[in-house]
Amino acid sequence: MHIETRLPKVGTTIFSVMSQLAVEHKAVNLGQGFPDFDPPVELRDALSRAMNEGHNQYAPGIGVARLREQIARKTERSYGRRISADTEVTVTSGATEAIFSAIAASVKSGDEVIVFDPAYDCYEPAINLQDARAVHIPLSAPDFGVDWQRVRDAITSKTRMIITNSPHNPSGAVFSRADLDALAEVVRGTDILVLSDEVYEHMVYDGAEHQSVLRHSELAERSFVVSSFGKTWHCTGWKVGYCVAPKPLSVEFRKVHQYVTFCTFSPAQFAFAEVLETLPSHALGLSAFYQEKRDRFRAMLEDSRLDLLPVPGGYFQLVDYAAIRDTDDINFSEWLVREGGVAGVPLTPFYETPPNSRLLRLCFAKNAPTMQAGAERLCAL
């Protein structure tokens, strides 16, 4: 039987490939973006309580009411925007599901969606499945800032959505207020929507402040804003996220969400509701927590031959490996796992047209022994 694929360019994600190679070669895994330390004990205890108290069946499709209310309060505290827990907050099975549901709810056949390369790999498949086209605009190293004139030039009558990601994966670049104003100027007077991927919202460094589109009232009125409890609370395997969007967008978003996952893991929702109320200091302290890890990891690599790019946000360090080997990043990544005993992630899969660069992504959301073991092997190259 012949089956024609809807996603001819899609195979196993580079994150899974590099993690599997790390296992096979017993390498230190600095590739896939997940912590190797546990969530706070308060959250784990809250999860156990939720299960033991019987919260093990379907949750409401849009999310447990107490959790949605806490998300609304957190949004107002963090970004000064008052939202409705009932009509503007939807709990999802991870940020990836939220991104897919937002695209599926608002993008139709023939539309164009602007993405910025290097772009996280789940964006384009979701666009393609709507029979729409991703329009790629490259970001330039080392700062990976947006050239807003190129964005203006890329707008056509078919442009339906712009996907932004700040703090940015993989570069760590962060939006400024000027970026938000420029984005607002681009979409003003149009029906273009914004999908803002903000899963690293609490990881912004050196005294800077996360510039969520929710801070910008004009943008917030046309945006899906996606966040991740997994990233914020060190539990990526729980797959719980949420989407904040104005009521008209949330109505359409929920139509898709209910037929993708219907609802999200119930005990975790009750647990997150509890810790958002009782442990607000966790998110508030996350930037300092990860900045210390960033600074420690960079110090560990001072004696290496790697050139370290700036890291304004997120939990990834980009390194230029040109002084070690003059080869493409896929070959270097495979060589590094086999010969160097460290797994990183090449940037080529994040691009439509990869530049001729020598960059690798390393994750520093790791405990001290993991970072030390990885750094020692990298310094030996």
Side-chain angles (χ1 to χ4, degrees):
M1 180 174 62
H2 174 70
I3 298 176
E4 184 175 349
T5 178
R6 295 286 309 280
L7 297 170
K9 296 191 293 184
V10 172
T12 304
T13 71
I14 190 63
F15 313 109
S16 298
V17 169
M18 297 313 301
S19 288
Q20 181 59 40
L21 285 174
V23 171
E24 292 174 5
H25 294 278
K26 297 181 173 58
V28 178
N29 189 356
L30 301 180
Q32 195 167 359
F34 59 82
D36 65 348
F37 42 86
D38 288 328
V41 64
E42 294 89 344
L43 177 60
R44 286 177 278 147
D45 288 345
L47 180 67
S48 295
R49 270 194 303 276
M51 290 188 290
N52 291 331
E53 291 171 0
H55 298 298
N56 299 302
Q57 309 309 323
Y58 294 126
I62 62 175
V64 169
R66 183 184 173 194
L67 177 56
R68 287 185 284 108
E69 183 59 42
Q70 288 301 320
I71 291 170
R73 292 177 182 176
K74 170 187 173 296
T75 299
E76 185 171 7
R77 286 196 308 270
S78 298
Y79 307 126
R81 183 168 182 83
R82 182 170 295 181
I83 59 174
S84 167
D86 291 332
T87 63
E88 298 181 285
V89 179
T90 308
V91 180
T92 62
S93 296
T96 302
E97 189 248 308
I99 289 166
F100 179 88
S101 294
I103 294 170
S106 54
V107 175
K108 64 183 185 301
S109 178
D111 284 347
E112 295 176 348
V113 178
I114 291 175
V115 300
F116 298 101
D117 283 1
Y120 189 59
D121 68 346
C122 80
Y123 302 159
E124 187 162 13
I127 296 165
N128 291 343
L129 286 171
Q130 314 316 313
D131 195 27
R133 184 172 77 92
V135 176
H136 295 261
I137 296 178
L139 308 174
S140 298
D143 66 342
F144 291 89
V146 177
D147 181 341
W148 291 106
Q149 186 56 52
R150 291 192 69 163
V151 178
R152 295 183 191 98
D153 294 342
I155 298 294
T156 73
S157 61
K158 296 181 179 180
T159 306
R160 177 56 174 157
M161 175 180 281
I162 299 174
I163 301 180
T164 61
N165 176 206
S166 177
H168 182 255
N169 177 16
S171 75
V174 299
F175 267 12
S176 65
R177 178 69 190 195
D179 286 310
L180 296 185
D181 288 340
L183 176 59
E185 191 274 330
V186 167
V187 299
R188 189 174 297 135
T190 74
D191 291 326
I192 298 171
L193 302 176
V194 173
L195 171 52
S196 184
D197 178 354
E198 302 185 14
V199 300
Y200 301 101
E201 61 184 316
H202 297 296
M203 304 167 204
V204 178
Y205 310 131
D206 305 312
E209 192 174 54
H210 172 53
Q211 295 300 317
S212 171
V213 301
L214 293 168
R215 292 186 187 276
H216 197 291
S217 58
E218 185 179 357
L219 289 174
E221 290 300 325
R222 64 169 76 225
S223 296
F224 299 96
V225 180
V226 174
S227 295
S228 167
F229 286 119
K231 295 293 193 298
T232 299
W233 290 87
H234 319 317
C235 53
T236 59
W238 292 18
K239 294 297 293 179
V240 183
Y242 61 92
C243 178
V244 173
K247 182 178 178 179
L249 296 183
S250 288
V251 167
E252 299 305 313
F253 179 94
R254 290 171 175 183
K255 290 178 183 179
V256 175
H257 164 71
Q258 70 180 338
Y259 292 115
V260 174
T261 60
F262 176 66
C263 69
T264 297
F265 183 43
S266 294
Q269 293 197 54
F270 285 93
F272 283 126
E274 180 178 323
V275 295
L276 283 178
E277 184 175 352
T278 62
L279 198 64
S281 60
H282 174 80
L284 294 175
L286 212 57
S287 287
F289 174 80
Y290 275 117
Q291 182 169 328
E292 189 277 332
K293 288 186 176 294
R294 178 201 68 173
D295 293 347
R296 184 190 307 181
F297 188 55
R298 290 172 67 89
M300 290 175 177
L301 294 175
E302 280 184 354
D303 294 331
S304 75
R305 292 195 289 163
L306 298 167
D307 183 24
L308 309 183
L309 274 65
V311 185
Y315 55 41
F316 301 110
Q317 173 69 62
L318 289 189
V319 298
D320 188 319
Y321 60 83
I324 298 174
R325 287 175 72 88
D326 185 21
T327 186
D328 68 74
D329 58 355
I330 299 290
N331 285 330
F332 180 81
S333 299
E334 293 173 351
W335 173 85
L336 183 61
V337 172
R338 293 193 311 268
E339 305 298 330
V342 177
V345 166
L347 262 63
T348 296
F350 291 81
Y351 285 91
E352 178 185 48
T353 305
N356 185 27
S357 61
R358 299 290 183 261
L359 297 179
L360 186 74
R361 192 193 81 172
L362 302 172
C363 178
F364 57 80
K366 306 296 178 183
N367 60 38
T370 302
M371 285 194 290
Q372 186 65 48
E376 288 176 356
R377 297 183 184 192
L378 291 167
C379 287
L381 298 174

